[in-house]
Amino acid sequence: MRFLGLLLCLSVFYAKSAQASCTVAVTISEAISASTSDYLERAEKRALDKKCDAIYVRMNTPGGSLQSTRLIVERILASPIPYLCLITPSGGHAGSAGAIILQACHVNGGVTATNIGAATPILGTGEKTPEDLRNKLINDTVSWLEGVTKLRGRSLKFSKEIVTEAKALSSEQAHKEKALDILATNEQDFLQQAQNRSVLIDDKKETVVIVGDLQEFLPDLRYKVLSFVADPEFAYLLFMGSLALLYVEITHPGLIAPGVIGGIGLVLSLVAFHKLEVAWGGLALILLGIAFLVLEVFLPSFGALGIGGLVSVFVGSLFLFDAETTGYTLPISLIFSVVAVLAAFLLGIGYLALRTIRLKTQDTDADLMSKDGVVSAIDSTGHGGQLHIMGETWNFVSEDPLQIGDRVHVTARQGLTLNVKKVK
């Protein structure tokens, strides 16, 4: 019986060993924005889908949006698996929003020759903050960060001073003050020290950190597009510019281009402000693009609606279809193919419309030359004026002197003027 029990234990051990653990690795090397929040959300879903045991975040950022930072901190605190955050590479830093996010991570650290801190809230424009507003922002951020720091058992003094005094420390000093859990020489050293640490998951359950094989979750085209529009200053300018363009379109209907650009810009700015979820923003862009493409068939926009529709469908597809968010994945090649088919369809319709116009023009010329007209008005020279033909009034010129009531025959057309000769 003991032998059978031993065999059972060994079989369970080898079965667990056969299931190799994994860790999803992400890299944050730009300002914290809506793109960062979306990036980490998708990384976490990738980790859960692959049944990975942790998320490893490489951090090197000057800071960014406080609103995006709050969303990221909320996600980390509610995560069912640990976040392991490291300031890297040497020479990098976790400033402002990055320092706050590091305090929320289950295990944090920094490689040598990095620094952390300077998290005093400032206006995105760089202007001086009014005293009352500054006090309000600082007090609110301090109290919020204090709760996060207590939860992780790190230095309350440091978390307060990085906000109130814009304090910044080297990773060595921050480790001594217990603001960083680990001081590492490189990434591998950090991950080895993080292994088997006891951390609190979802604010209530203790678990042991397991570091498995790194699976890179690299920034994709969706992330790059979001990063471009999510910069706070650019997003504000995009929002105000879009409203201005929509106003121009409303007050001067028929210009088309301002309305198209303003509509797309407004949706993108709402995504950047977190007023629209990225997926809903993608759906809005796709629907807007389809509306533009339909209107292109009926309105003379000289291609503005068609081009705007193609751009809107392409960007919307990037935002909407994501494997980690929807469970579906669309390769970039497929999105390009769909947009190319739509473009070919529009070009085909344009070609047929142009051909129809030319045929109609030729038919009109033939009809004019097959019928006679009657002079209704004459100028002082007697060689020009207006005539009635086929129920329409046309300008004419003639080599023969004419009088009102004369019958004339059309010999040619030049724009809206007919060449005629008198019918004898």
Side-chain angles (χ1 to χ4, degrees), residues 219-370:
D220 52 10
L221 185 58
R222 165 178 168 144
Y223 172 82
K224 293 175 182 177
V225 173
L226 266 177
S227 294
F228 180 74
V229 301
D231 177 77
E233 292 186 23
F234 181 82
Y236 173 74
L237 292 175
L238 180 64
F239 178 71
M240 297 305 295
S242 299
L243 291 181
L245 288 172
L246 291 173
Y247 173 78
V248 170
E249 182 64 38
I250 291 172
T251 55
H252 300 79
L255 294 179
I256 307 296
V260 171
I261 299 173
I264 296 174
L266 184 62
V267 175
L268 289 175
S269 61
L270 291 176
V271 172
F273 292 146
H274 295 287
K275 301 303 180 184
L276 267 180
E277 291 288 339
V278 177
W280 287 110
L283 179 61
L285 285 172
I286 290 176
L287 294 178
L288 191 63
I290 293 174
F292 287 160
L293 294 175
V294 172
L295 290 175
E296 175 67 26
V297 178
F298 300 100
L299 297 179
S301 70
F302 304 99
L305 283 168
I307 294 173
L310 294 175
V311 172
S312 187
V313 169
F314 177 76
V315 178
S317 298
L318 289 178
F319 288 0
L320 181 63
F321 295 104
D322 176 72
E324 281 67 48
T325 303
T326 63
Y328 301 96
T329 180
L330 285 180
I332 292 295
S333 58
L334 180 58
I335 297 177
F336 273 121
S337 300
V338 170
V339 173
V341 169
L342 290 175
F345 176 72
L346 284 178
L347 288 174
I349 291 179
Y351 170 75
L352 293 176
L354 181 61
R355 186 177 177 184
T356 301
I357 291 172
R358 287 177 176 174
L359 290 173
K360 184 177 180 181
T361 300
Q362 294 174 359
D363 292 343
T364 300
D365 290 348
D367 290 341
L368 287 171
M369 293 178 188
S370 67

Side-chain angles (χ1 to χ4, degrees), residues 37 43 216 312 316 336 371 410 423:
S37 176
E216 296 290 342
S312 187
F336 273 121
K371 294 182 171 56
V410 178
V423 177

Side-chain angles (χ1 to χ4, degrees), residues 46 55 60-61 110 112 145 153 156 162 187 192 199 211 233 237 240 255 258 274 281 343-344 386 390 403 417:
R46 165 73 67 86
I55 299 173
N60 181 19
T61 176
T112 53
L145 188 54
L156 288 174
I162 62 173
E187 290 187 14
Q192 287 177 356
V199 296
V211 179
E233 292 186 23
L237 292 175
M240 297 305 295
L255 294 179
H274 295 287
Q386 293 183 331
M390 296 174 56
Q403 296 179 358
T417 301

Side-chain angles (χ1 to χ4, degrees), residues 34-300:
S35 61
T36 316
S37 176
D38 177 68
Y39 180 42
L40 288 179
E41 178 183 354
R42 294 190 293 137
E44 184 176 314
K45 290 180 179 179
R46 165 73 67 86
L48 295 177
D49 182 58
K50 299 292 184 181
K51 294 182 170 50
C52 292
D53 299 295
I55 299 173
Y56 169 48
V57 182
R58 304 181 186 94
M59 183 82 69
N60 181 19
T61 176
S65 166
L66 184 60
Q67 185 179 7
S68 299
T69 303
R70 286 184 176 272
L71 293 175
I72 292 171
V73 168
E74 289 174 8
R75 175 162 298 281
I76 292 175
L77 296 181
S79 172
I81 57 177
Y83 274 74
L84 317 176
C85 304
L86 175 68
I87 312 171
T88 186
S90 293
H93 67 144
S96 191
I100 294 174
I101 293 172
L102 273 170
Q103 297 308 304
C105 294
H106 300 85
V107 179
N108 69 11
V111 300
T112 53
T114 58
N115 69 292
I116 178 176
T120 302
I122 60 173
L123 296 179
T125 58
E127 299 175 357
K128 184 178 180 181
T129 310
E131 191 65 25
D132 291 341
L133 177 59
R134 184 177 185 276
N135 292 334
K136 180 179 178 181
L137 287 173
I138 287 177
N139 291 334
D140 180 60
T141 306
V142 166
S143 61
W144 168 54
L145 188 54
E146 185 180 72
V148 175
T149 306
K150 282 182 178 179
L151 180 65
R152 298 298 182 224
R154 300 192 181 108
S155 172
L156 288 174
K157 180 175 178 290
F158 175 80
S159 69
K160 180 178 180 180
E161 290 178 349
I162 62 173
V163 178
T164 58
E165 302 176 13
K167 183 177 182 179
L169 296 176
S170 66
S171 53
E172 292 85 350
Q173 191 62 35
H175 180 248
K176 288 179 182 178
E177 294 197 12
K178 297 185 179 179
L180 293 179
D181 301 326
I182 297 172
L183 178 62
T185 55
N186 52 44
E187 290 187 14
Q188 191 62 35
D189 182 30
F190 169 75
L191 293 175
Q192 287 177 356
Q193 293 189 56
Q195 178 80 358
N196 296 326
R197 279 182 174 254
S198 179
V199 296
L200 198 63
I201 291 295
D202 199 15
D203 299 348
K204 53 192 175 184
K205 186 177 75 172
E206 280 196 12
T207 190
V208 173
V209 174
I210 300 174
V211 179
D213 296 333
L214 294 186
Q215 295 188 2
E216 296 290 342
F217 186 65
L218 299 173
D220 52 10
L221 185 58
R222 165 178 168 144
Y223 172 82
K224 293 175 182 177
V225 173
L226 266 177
S227 294
F228 180 74
V229 301
D231 177 77
E233 292 186 23
F234 181 82
Y236 173 74
L237 292 175
L238 180 64
F239 178 71
M240 297 305 295
S242 299
L243 291 181
L245 288 172
L246 291 173
Y247 173 78
V248 170
E249 182 64 38
I250 291 172
T251 55
H252 300 79
L255 294 179
I256 307 296
V260 171
I261 299 173
I264 296 174
L266 184 62
V267 175
L268 289 175
S269 61
L270 291 176
V271 172
F273 292 146
H274 295 287
K275 301 303 180 184
L276 267 180
E277 291 288 339
V278 177
W280 287 110
L283 179 61
L285 285 172
I286 290 176
L287 294 178
L288 191 63
I290 293 174
F292 287 160
L293 294 175
V294 172
L295 290 175
E296 175 67 26
V297 178
F298 300 100
L299 297 179

Side-chain angles (χ1 to χ4, degrees), residues 27-39:
T27 302
I28 299 175
S29 57
E30 299 176 350
I32 304 299
S33 64
S35 61
T36 316
S37 176
D38 177 68
Y39 180 42

